[in-house]
Amino acid sequence: MNHLSFVQGGCVVLRIDVPPGTRLIDVIRQETRRGSLSLPWRCAQGTCGACVLKLSRSQGPSPPVVLGRLERNVLIRQGQLPADAPLEQPDTPATPRLACHVAVDSDLIVYF
């Protein structure tokens, strides 16, 4: 199991364990419906940009993340990345991500 901590305004609002490979958006949808989170999401397909958030890995820095073209283009359209942003981005809390494009593969801290 991978451990997720959701942080809003500097406070941990939810801790949950999920199986490896779980899509982050599926966790967010489930916990939002339960009332445990108030995190926006809309399409869950990676095209609207509503589920933008920041992540950090509990075990520290990791190799750069390679965004898919769709995720990169949506983040550019949303003004989250510059127009010339490469697909490879540093895996830091400063890098915006779309929850619908993230498969949970380690313990994560989710900032929203």
Side-chain angles (χ1 to χ4, degrees), residues 44-66:
Q45 303 300 314
T47 58
C48 73
C51 64
V52 69
L53 43 74
K54 308 283 176 97
L55 302 173
S56 67
R57 298 186 188 281
S58 299
Q59 72 273 14
S62 63
V65 63
V66 178

Side-chain angles (χ1 to χ4, degrees), residues 69-90:
R69 290 189 184 280
L70 178 60
E71 182 178 18
R72 176 188 164 273
N73 291 344
V74 171
L75 290 169
I76 290 170
R77 190 179 72 232
Q78 295 287 320
Q80 298 288 331
L81 289 175
D84 61 349
L87 291 175
E88 188 174 285
Q89 294 289 316

